[in-house]
């Protein structure tokens, strides 16, 4: 049944749920993990705190749903994970790493989540990490491992360093105004230099792979 404004109970519920999710993001971004309390979340959302229990089951479930909604790998579609590949995954690998870099750079909430995952043992954070590994394993096993063959583990180790480095530079930039090796990731020139280095490193790995396969 609709009211005079054309709203339905289902539509109102979804709007309210989104307000709670937005409130979690705002508190995480501005005040950090310690501010994620029921009363604070409800106040920022402008809604009755009882709705948190009604719609999500509790604060922890609300926070868990927020974490899933914002995680990069949780939003990678299966179609994205299995593209048509003709170059051993070289361009796809560069694209995915650069997309992750941009995502972390532009998303302060996600930066906080990454830091949170390093500082606190929380089941939902571990689940997200596990899910990233599952999606990543699909890409590695089906795309890059066949190209690198018996050197696949070397490629995986190199990518672990590249991706974690990209994550760290963004978290470092978000937490301080300092440069890293004289590079400022927060400035356009620094961002371009880092992205160019990522592309060059991936190209080097694939050139070495071609020689090994040669």
């Amino acid at each position: 049944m609709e009211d005079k404004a054309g709203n339905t109970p289902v539509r109102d519920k979804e709007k309210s749920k989104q307000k709670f999710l937005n409130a979690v993001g705002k508190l995480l971004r501005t005040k950090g993990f310690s501010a994620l309390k029921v009363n604070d979340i409800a106040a920022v959302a402008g809604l009755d705190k009882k709705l948190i229990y009604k719609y999500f089951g509790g604060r922890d479930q609300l926070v868990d749903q927020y974490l899933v909604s914002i995680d990069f790998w949780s939003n990678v579609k299966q179609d994205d994970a299995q593209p048509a590949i003709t170059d051993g995954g070289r361009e796809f690998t560069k694209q995915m790493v650069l997309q992750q870099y941009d995502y972390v750079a532009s998303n302060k909430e996600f930066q906080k989540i990454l830091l949170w995952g390093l500082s606190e043992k929380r089941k939902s954070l571990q689940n997200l990490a596990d899910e990233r590994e599952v999606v990543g394993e699909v890409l590695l096993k089906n795309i890059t491992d066949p190209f690198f063959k018996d050197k696949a583990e070397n490629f995986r180790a190199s990518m672990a360093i590249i991706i974690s480095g990209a994550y760290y530079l963004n978290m470092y930039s978000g937490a301080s105004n300092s440069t890293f090796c004289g590079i400022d990731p927060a400035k356009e020139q620094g961002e371009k230099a880092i992205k160019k280095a990522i592309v060059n490193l991936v190209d080097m790995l694939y050139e070495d792979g071609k020689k090994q396969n040669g």
Side-chain angles (χ1 to χ4, degrees), residues 5-23:
N7 294 323
T8 66
V10 172
R11 190 177 303 150
D12 286 340
K13 177 182 177 180
E14 292 307 312
K15 286 183 178 179
S16 295
K17 288 178 68 174
Q18 190 58 53
K19 285 183 179 180
F20 282 125
L21 292 169
N22 292 342

Side-chain angles (χ1 to χ4, degrees), residues 2 20 25 30 43 52 64-65 84 98 103 107 112 138 148 150 157 165-166 169 173 180 182 186 190 192 198 212-213:
E2 293 187 345
F20 282 125
T30 59
I52 292 177
D64 291 350
Q65 187 165 327
L98 292 176
Y103 186 80
N107 196 318
K112 294 288 181 69
V138 171
F148 287 95
D150 60 330
L169 283 172
S173 176
F180 198 96
K192 287 182 177 179
I198 290 172
Q212 293 163 4
N213 293 336

Side-chain angles (χ1 to χ4, degrees), residues 5-59:
N7 294 323
T8 66
V10 172
R11 190 177 303 150
D12 286 340
K13 177 182 177 180
E14 292 307 312
K15 286 183 178 179
S16 295
K17 288 178 68 174
Q18 190 58 53
K19 285 183 179 180
F20 282 125
L21 292 169
N22 292 342
V24 170
K26 183 175 181 179
L27 285 169
L28 186 60
R29 181 176 66 253
T30 59
K31 297 185 178 181
F33 325 123
S34 60
L36 298 180
K37 298 181 173 70
V38 169
N39 288 338
D40 294 330
I41 295 170
V44 172
L47 297 169
D48 191 326
K49 67 180 181 181
K50 293 179 182 178
L51 293 176
I52 292 177
Y53 299 94
K54 180 179 180 180
Y55 293 155
F56 299 95
R59 189 214 68 154

